[in-house]
Amino acid sequence: MPTALVSVYDKTGVVDLARELHELGWSLLSSGGTAAVIADAGVPVTDVAEITGVPAILGHRVVTLHPKVHGGILADRSDATHQADLAEYGIDPIDVVIVNLYPFSTAPGVELIDIGGPAMVRAAAKNFADVGVVVNPDDYRSVVDEIREHGALQQSTRTRLARDAFSHTAAYDAAIVRWFDQVHDEGGDELPPTLHLALERVETLRYGENPHQIGARYRDLTSASAESGWWETSVQHGGKAMSYLNVYDAEAAWRLVHQFGDPTSVVIKHANPCGVASANTIDEAYYLAHNCDPVSAFGGIVAVNRPVTQTIAESLAPVFTEVVIAPSYEEGALEVLTAKANLRVLSAERPDGRRFDLRPIEGGMLVQTTDDVPVDIENWSVVTDAKPTDEQWDDIKFAWQVCAAVSSNAIVYAKDRQAFGIGAGQQNRLDSSRIAAERSAGRAEGGVCASDAFFPFRDGLDAAAAAGIRAVVQPGGSVRDDEVIAAANEAGIAMVFTGRRHFRH
């Protein structure tokens, strides 16, 4: 008679599984709470303690760690010496192991570090030539159906289940390592000696960065939350399936728009903002953001940090847009937007902060802590004769937050909390300044300029002055700071040093 060992923390579907296996002629071996649940349902089951002769001890830390359990799982059915050992020690083979683990990530702590569960899972997965291992309740139905049809699990199924089992224990251990790193790094700003990624594919994308590439979105299984990140709770209300760049750009848009507390709209193109504006109403914010650079807004991503009104929807609908993302949509707005067959319409919760940024390199990864953008004006320094006005301070803070989201070298011209010129990704800061001035087309006159890093020469400052800029915010720190400050004083421009650079490659 084949035997199934069933020992699960998550008891979803376990009674029905046990009943069907019993009806198919299988004997059931179980432990503790799982055995009690199965027995209470009237299904015959043998408690592990009956075969080991030892009850659960050490506060349930030791239950299944015994040769009569692991010998039954690990025995190679084709090895005569293994069969002799089973006979000598009175060990019965176990054909299927159905185990899931303590939910460590839900409440990390020592007592939720499962020992017996992973040991059984790994043993069964190692012996997949003879033993099936099931760690996911979603597999119960297909497992029972296959046993009913063939009398046992097929080799291909045992192989797939073993792969899933090792993935499961790898993610479990990775979550524990992450917890140890957090326990010993309360400041949260140090890089751990090792990183253990455990990622689960949750969405196959239309394609990768280009149509000939394959793309998918994965979620982090080591997170303290089972749903890791705002993407897991986001809802797509309409439009085509997301592509790799849709997700990448939507992430950039959603994070940037939540840098601002006032009603704000962001337009992103190729991961860079081409329009950002804050206003008294979200309708006005969208109008201003779009008008920053209507040409670049074509095919862009729009994010707003307030519910989308019907007014925004009617303004946005005629513009070719890849994705619109918002906390929610007012009555009528969804109907307008979802009428556009190709427009992806998302609603999402506020994003949380990531701890690390990772980029692949040959044979490894580059890892850094994420770049936060504090607007800490108490620690900023006014270094010029002219001082910013109250209105300029509002624009300085606004432009600084926008600039930190722009690829380096980054220059942002803004006025009245509206970005007018954004120079991004140039190999020198002067070209970024020229692009920002060209895009502004005079609209930023009397406004502010933000630079993500210091001006290495006065030419960038001179370009801002020629565009009518009246205040500048930059990190400072150049060997030619004195020259740049002198240029600002010559032009009567107020300049603020933040002391913090925000390069973004």
Side-chain angles (χ1 to χ4, degrees):
M1 178 183 294
T3 297
L5 171 57
V6 186
S7 180
V8 294
Y9 184 93
D10 177 2
K11 296 176 177 56
T12 303
V14 73
V15 169
D16 291 338
L17 171 69
R19 182 178 289 112
E20 291 191 73
L21 288 174
H22 170 68
E23 291 170 355
L24 290 170
W26 284 57
S27 65
L28 299 173
L29 181 63
S30 190
S31 64
T34 307
V37 167
I38 294 172
D40 288 346
V43 179
V45 61
T46 300
D47 195 295
V48 166
E50 293 182 35
I51 67 166
T52 65
V54 181
I57 61 173
L58 306 181
H60 214 76
R61 286 188 174 191
V62 177
V63 183
T64 56
L65 299 172
H66 194 281
K68 287 205 170 182
V69 174
H70 286 272
I73 297 172
L74 283 164
D76 181 346
R77 311 297 167 83
S78 65
D79 189 319
T81 62
H82 285 206
Q83 297 306 310
D85 285 343
L86 294 182
E88 180 176 354
Y89 297 105
I91 300 172
D92 294 324
I94 294 171
D95 302 281
V96 171
V97 172
I98 300 161
V99 171
N100 55 58
L101 311 179
Y102 296 162
F104 179 83
S105 291
T106 63
V110 170
E111 292 309 320
L112 280 185
I113 297 177
D114 201 332
I115 301 301
M120 289 187 290
V121 167
R122 289 175 58 81
K126 173 177 179 174
N127 200 24
F128 68 94
D130 296 311
V131 179
V133 56
V134 185
V135 296
N136 189 343
D138 290 344
D139 286 320
Y140 291 173
R141 181 73 270 148
S142 62
V143 164
V144 169
D145 289 345
E146 187 167 315
I147 290 174
R148 179 177 288 111
E149 181 178 356
H150 299 286
L153 293 178
Q154 302 299 287
Q155 182 63 65
S156 60
T157 300
R158 295 197 302 272
T159 301
R160 175 184 67 81
L161 292 173
R163 186 264 177 210
D164 291 348
F166 279 120
S167 172
H168 188 60
T169 57
Y172 195 78
D173 286 343
I176 295 170
V177 173
R178 178 171 177 164
W179 172 70
F180 272 106
D181 288 339
Q182 291 169 342
V183 166
H184 295 292
D185 179 20
E186 295 179 0
D189 59 357
E190 294 182 6
L191 297 176
T194 60
L195 282 177
H196 301 268
L197 300 180
L199 306 175
E200 177 184 48
R201 189 180 66 209
V202 293
E203 182 181 7
T204 299
L205 304 171
R206 289 184 67 224
Y207 48 77
E209 203 161 4
N210 297 289
H212 65 276
Q213 294 173 273
I214 299 171
R217 180 173 64 83
Y218 288 71
R219 72 180 178 97
D220 183 2
L221 294 176
T222 68
S223 169
S225 170
E227 278 79 34
S228 176
W230 64 268
W231 281 103
E232 301 312 310
T233 54
S234 65
V235 176
Q236 183 170 347
H237 300 278
K240 295 187 294 188
M242 300 282 282
S243 72
Y244 177 97
L245 289 177
N246 292 153
V247 173
Y248 189 79
D249 288 346
E251 173 81 4
W254 199 230
R255 289 196 172 277
L256 176 55
V257 82
H258 281 90
Q259 290 287 322
F260 304 94
D262 292 331
T264 300
S265 178
V266 167
V267 185
I268 291 285
K269 190 71 171 289
H270 298 170
N272 277 297
C274 61
V276 185
S278 295
N280 293 326
T281 69
I282 197 64
D283 291 352
E284 183 184 7
Y286 169 70
Y287 173 80
L288 295 173
H290 175 77
N291 284 338
C292 170
D293 187 354
V295 174
S296 296
F298 181 87
I301 309 288
V302 172
V304 297
N305 64 358
R306 297 291 192 278
V308 170
T309 64
Q310 187 161 347
T311 299
I312 293 177
E314 290 172 350
S315 299
L316 191 152
V319 181
F320 173 53
T321 303
E322 292 281 2
V323 180
V324 57
I325 179 169
S328 61
Y329 297 81
E330 292 184 357
E331 186 176 353
L334 265 183
E335 184 178 351
V336 172
L337 294 174
T338 55
K340 305 282 290 184
N342 293 333
L343 174 61
R344 301 154 182 88
V345 183
L346 304 181
S347 58
E349 298 177 356
R350 184 182 182 89
D352 294 325
R354 299 190 305 263
R355 190 178 179 195
F356 302 126
D357 285 332
L358 291 80
R359 291 184 178 183
I361 59 173
E362 184 71 22
M365 303 286 286
L366 284 174
V367 181
Q368 64 178 351
T369 55
T370 53
D371 183 24
D372 62 330
V373 189
V375 182
D376 188 10
I377 62 174
E378 290 79 10
N379 292 317
W380 293 358
S381 302
V382 178
V383 295
T384 50
D385 297 335
K387 310 301 180 187
T389 66
D390 290 343
E391 292 78 10
Q392 286 173 335
W393 272 118
D394 287 342
D395 285 342
I396 284 170
K397 291 184 286 185
F398 172 84
W400 185 243
Q401 289 175 292
V402 175
C403 193
V406 177
S407 296
S408 300
N409 290 310
I411 295 290
V412 173
Y413 288 0
K415 184 180 179 182
D416 299 329
R417 296 187 302 165
Q418 180 182 5
F420 284 113
I422 298 174
Q426 300 305 302
Q427 283 75 22
N428 67 77
R429 198 158 298 278
L430 180 58
D431 280 349
S432 291
S433 297
R434 288 169 174 161
I435 291 170
E438 179 183 340
R439 296 280 172 82
S440 296
R443 294 174 298 171
E445 187 171 350
V448 307
C449 166
S451 174
D452 64 345
F454 60 67
F455 287 102
F457 305 98
R458 65 171 287 164
D459 52 8
L461 196 287
D462 290 336
I469 293 297
R470 304 308 302 159
V472 171
V473 58
Q474 59 135 318
S478 168
V479 295
R480 295 183 178 86
D481 273 349
D482 289 344
E483 295 177 21
V484 176
I485 294 170
N489 283 329
E490 289 172 19
I493 290 175
M495 187 157 62
V496 175
F497 282 5
T498 68
R500 173 178 281 196
R501 187 181 76 181
H502 289 291
F503 265 160
R504 181 174 175 269
H505 280 60

